[in-house]
Amino acid sequence: MSKAFQNGVATDAASMNQGDDARALRVLRLIEHLANATQPLTLSQLSTRLDVPKATMMRMLDHLQRHGYVLRTPFEGGGYVPGTAATRLALSALRNNALIRVSRATLGKLVAATGETCNLVVPEGNNVIYVDRVETEEPLRLQLPPGTRAPMHCTASGKLFLSRLSLFEQRSLLTAMPLKKLTPRTITDPASLEAELARIAKCGIGFDHEEFVLGMVAVAVPIQASDGKVVAAVACHAPVARKSIDDLLAYVGLLTDAASVLQPLLAGGQIAEETPPISSG
């Protein structure tokens, strides 16, 4: 049996390899835990939830923070959130060839059926990120290249993500995020926004009545993991000069069909080599 000597003691090499694997997975589990959290997590919370001693957890967090994979918030308590390096890694994974190939084809068919720009959107902290996007051929359109971030509280997909949180999680996030008024229609009162999110949760469709950009409306439908968690959204937006919010709501069936095609890319499962047609009927 292969042996390695450490501090004068013979150690089974396989055991050492298993220890290295466990330490590597511990870091990945830490980043995954932060990514899935709805609010910053403290050192004590992470230590307890991951069953790692506080001293060890602190060393991991310090090392990851130096390299940009975690960020300590300036608020009281100093909780941790994913850093910019973790976000870049997540976006790189989302933009792999399989996702882009199927996403671009699916969104392209959706744009052909609706005549309007369509997006694949994921949540990130207080924002949403446009992971992929196919533009309408109409000259009047909103330019938002893939990778663009937008506020969660005033976008169709962002409000959809918020609506699927528990009331406690909603209130915690709304208290922490800046509810900036981007248009006269942007909802900035927490109580009014909470009521809006309740309506969205009931119908299962996110909508934006010129709240993000004046003169633009949008709708969004969820992409769900097997546990029901919303991991992404398919959204469609248009200028009010061409489409009303009711016009876009008529496309919800098409958006839902597209979401079902894209679901395996973001929530596991078998990725189809050919994307099924999206009916315009």
Side-chain angles (χ1 to χ4, degrees), residues 222-267:
I223 297 176
Q224 298 183 140
S226 58
D227 61 1
K229 181 179 179 181
V230 176
V231 295
V234 176
C236 179
H237 68 246
V240 295
R242 193 162 60 241
K243 297 281 173 66
S244 68
I245 194 75
D246 288 336
D247 291 330
L248 293 188
L249 287 171
Y251 299 141
V252 163
L254 301 179
L255 296 175
T256 302
D257 289 344
S260 67
V261 174
L262 295 172
Q263 192 268 351
L265 295 167
L266 294 141

Side-chain angles (χ1 to χ4, degrees), residues 3-13 15-17 19-20 23:
K3 299 281 184 179
F5 285 86
Q6 189 173 39
N7 297 327
V9 179
T11 305
D12 188 278
S15 297
M16 291 179 63
N17 289 337
D20 290 342
R23 282 189 289 273

Side-chain angles (χ1 to χ4, degrees), residues 150-219:
M152 189 170 282
H153 71 286
C154 60
T155 51
S157 53
K159 290 194 293 179
L160 179 63
F161 296 139
L162 286 170
S163 76
R164 299 299 289 266
L165 300 176
S166 69
L167 188 58
F168 174 78
E169 291 170 330
Q170 275 184 25
R171 288 176 176 172
S172 297
L173 200 53
L174 292 178
T175 299
M177 71 169 60
L179 301 180
K180 186 176 180 181
K181 196 170 189 67
L182 298 182
T183 79
R185 293 177 176 268
T186 306
I187 303 172
T188 57
D189 174 63
S192 298
L193 185 54
E194 191 175 298
E196 171 87 339
L197 296 178
R199 288 192 292 272
I200 291 174
K202 187 173 181 179
C203 69
I205 303 165
F207 38 81
D208 164 14
H209 292 271
E210 301 183 69
E211 297 156 57
F212 176 42
V213 176
L214 193 63
M216 300 293 296
V217 290
V219 296

Side-chain angles (χ1 to χ4, degrees), residues 6-55:
Q6 189 173 39
N7 297 327
V9 179
T11 305
D12 188 278
S15 297
M16 291 179 63
N17 289 337
Q18 289 175 0
D20 290 342
D21 290 344
R23 282 189 289 273
L25 288 173
R26 182 187 289 170
V27 172
L28 292 175
R29 286 181 60 228
L30 169 58
I31 294 174
E32 182 180 26
H33 211 78
L34 290 174
N36 288 329
T38 56
Q39 57 189 2
L41 297 176
T42 65
L43 170 65
S44 293
Q45 289 172 323
L46 290 167
S47 175
T48 300
R49 296 182 186 188
L50 296 175
D51 194 24
V52 174
K54 279 189 178 181

